[in-house]
Amino acid sequence: MKETAKAPSNIAFIKYWGKKDPELNIPNNTNLSVNMSNLITTTTVEFSKSYPEDDITIDGEKKPEEISRAIKHLGRIRQLAQIDLKAKVVSNNNFPKASGLASSASGFAALTIAGCAAAGLKLSEKELTTIARLGSGSASRSIPDGFVEWVQGHDHNSSYAHSLYPPIYWDVDAIVVLASLDKKEVGSTEGHEAAYSSPFYKTRLDHMDNKVKALKKALADKDFITFGEIIEAEALELHSIALTSKPPIIYWVPVTLTIMKLCQQLRQQGLAAYFTMDAGPQPVVFCQSRDAKNLVLELKKIDSIKQLIINKPAKGARIADKHLF
Ligand code: PMV
């Protein structure tokens, strides 16, 4: 009853921002993402009679808020498997969590895969994405391979994620620029609720279907320029909603803006680099792989950057054989 899983984080091209059903994490729009090869969570779960209570350690720490979300998720798995055993869980991220790098996506994807396997459940990928979604919406997208669509749906079974293309489909790089290592002040749960208070949120929802279609076409055509223009505009729109929520949410730090402007400059010089961002300060800069070396050189010229993490499109969550305990 001990299993380990590895799951990638993912970055959304078209964002999930605002929930139709906050209990089930049903999003207000279909959204699209790619898995990130160098942002990985590894999680081992063991259900056993020998544990009097759930014992959860994440990155060597036992933080009450994280533990209670994880225990809630274990409860869902126990209910499905009809078992009553407590679990030991050890989980490690290879990147700084809670800084807007979507550790909850990789975290809940890994917990779902390892937890369900450890509980003896045999589920389809589609079912696993719906369970991961209950832990954290974006976690559903970290389960299928490569380029992923989370279909909005209208209830638990119809809101699921699936792969559009495998990781090798498109030779692009996603460079995460760590602009700040501080824990972000406003978590995504609060952000999703706050979206409704922006006067522009309804306008956003009205054009989401078209945006999703346009991005899917750019992916199908491997049209990098159109793809870049859409993801950048979408990131700015997400942040416009955050900035105009009440109270306003300002995720950016000065380096965030520096990178945004650098992308514009680089494009003028002929280097096709486009940024996106989640609800945090860290830009993720996309380029075609042939341009990655030059882009990294340019980014390294900016002193205040804490770290660059270079990612390729990656496979989704899977079982691993090396346990953490
Ligand atoms: O899965 P959550 O509740 O942490 O929400 C993720 C929200 C964004 O990262 C801002 C956008 C997205 O689609 O990943």
Side-chain angles (χ1 to χ4, degrees):
M1 290 277 245
K2 188 196 274 195
E3 293 286 353
T4 297
K6 278 187 186 294
S9 184
N10 67 75
I11 181 78
F13 303 142
I14 302 294
K15 311 290 181 184
Y16 150 53
W17 199 236
K19 305 180 186 186
K20 200 160 81 177
D21 182 331
E23 273 304 304
L24 294 177
N25 287 342
I26 309 283
N28 276 331
N29 57 273
T30 289
N31 47 88
L32 301 158
S33 63
V34 68
N35 290 325
M36 308 278 268
S37 62
N38 275 322
L39 301 178
I40 305 288
T41 300
T42 306
T43 300
T44 300
V45 179
E46 181 176 42
F47 289 103
S48 162
K49 275 199 295 253
S50 61
Y51 301 125
E53 54 188 52
D54 290 323
D55 173 7
I56 293 161
T57 311
I58 302 173
D59 282 340
E61 293 179 320
K62 294 181 182 295
K63 292 197 176 148
E65 199 198 320
E66 291 177 353
I67 288 176
S68 73
R69 273 182 84 180
I71 290 179
K72 214 169 156 193
H73 204 59
L74 288 172
R76 295 178 184 116
I77 294 169
R78 276 191 280 258
Q79 202 185 354
L80 268 175
Q82 303 201 317
I83 56 170
D84 204 14
L85 301 169
K86 299 293 182 196
K88 177 171 173 168
V89 176
V90 174
S91 184
N92 289 333
N93 291 303
N94 74 343
F95 58 94
K97 63 187 153 78
S99 50
L101 288 184
S103 61
S104 68
S106 52
F108 280 100
L111 184 60
T112 301
I113 299 290
C116 288
L121 287 166
K122 300 229 175 329
L123 301 169
S124 66
E125 179 184 273
K126 182 176 173 180
E127 287 170 311
L128 288 164
T129 73
T130 62
I131 297 165
R133 192 200 70 236
L134 297 171
S136 177
S138 54
S140 61
R141 296 188 313 236
S142 283
I143 290 188
D145 286 344
F147 297 80
V148 175
E149 174 178 40
W150 169 11
V151 179
Q152 177 190 19
H154 52 85
D155 61 9
H156 177 65
N157 290 326
S158 61
S159 188
Y160 69 99
H162 67 111
S163 178
L164 291 174
Y165 301 104
I168 52 152
Y169 172 71
W170 206 12
D171 220 359
V172 291
D173 282 30
I175 303 176
V176 175
V177 182
L178 278 181
S180 164
L181 294 178
D182 297 341
K183 186 176 169 5
K184 61 181 175 182
E185 287 158 26
V186 183
S188 53
T189 308
E190 259 177 87
H192 287 292
E193 279 171 33
Y196 286 96
S197 67
S198 164
F200 306 117
Y201 190 55
K202 188 179 174 307
T203 308
R204 167 171 172 77
L205 293 184
D206 286 346
H207 70 208
M208 285 317 279
D209 283 351
N210 285 339
K211 216 191 249 206
V212 168
K213 269 190 209 135
L215 198 275
K216 282 170 92 167
K217 180 162 189 326
L219 281 180
D221 296 346
K222 295 189 185 169
D223 175 350
F224 189 74
I225 305 296
T226 306
F227 163 83
E229 285 171 357
I230 296 171
I231 64 163
E232 207 171 274
E234 165 64 354
L236 289 170
E237 191 171 292
L238 165 82
H239 283 267
S240 304
I241 299 296
L243 288 165
T244 51
S245 293
K246 293 180 189 62
I249 311 173
I250 305 172
Y251 286 112
W252 298 342
V253 296
V255 194
T256 315
L257 273 167
T258 306
I259 302 300
M260 288 156 71
K261 288 189 159 287
L262 177 71
C263 288
Q264 290 185 329
Q265 267 169 30
L266 291 175
R267 293 204 291 269
Q268 275 166 11
Q269 295 162 21
L271 201 166
Y274 293 88
F275 66 81
T276 183
M277 260 178 279
D278 276 342
Q282 334 286 12
V284 179
V285 184
F286 274 86
C287 68
Q288 295 167 96
S289 297
R290 60 170 188 258
D291 292 330
K293 233 182 174 170
N294 284 341
L295 179 58
V296 168
L297 283 177
E298 293 295 336
L299 289 167
K300 282 191 171 159
K301 288 181 191 161
I302 298 166
D303 282 344
S304 34
I305 288 176
K306 311 280 177 214
Q307 198 185 331
L308 296 177
I309 305 171
I310 302 167
N311 297 275
K312 297 270 181 208
K315 284 185 174 169
R318 58 205 53 241
I319 291 290
D321 25 84
K322 248 193 174 170
H323 299 310
L324 295 177
F325 62 90

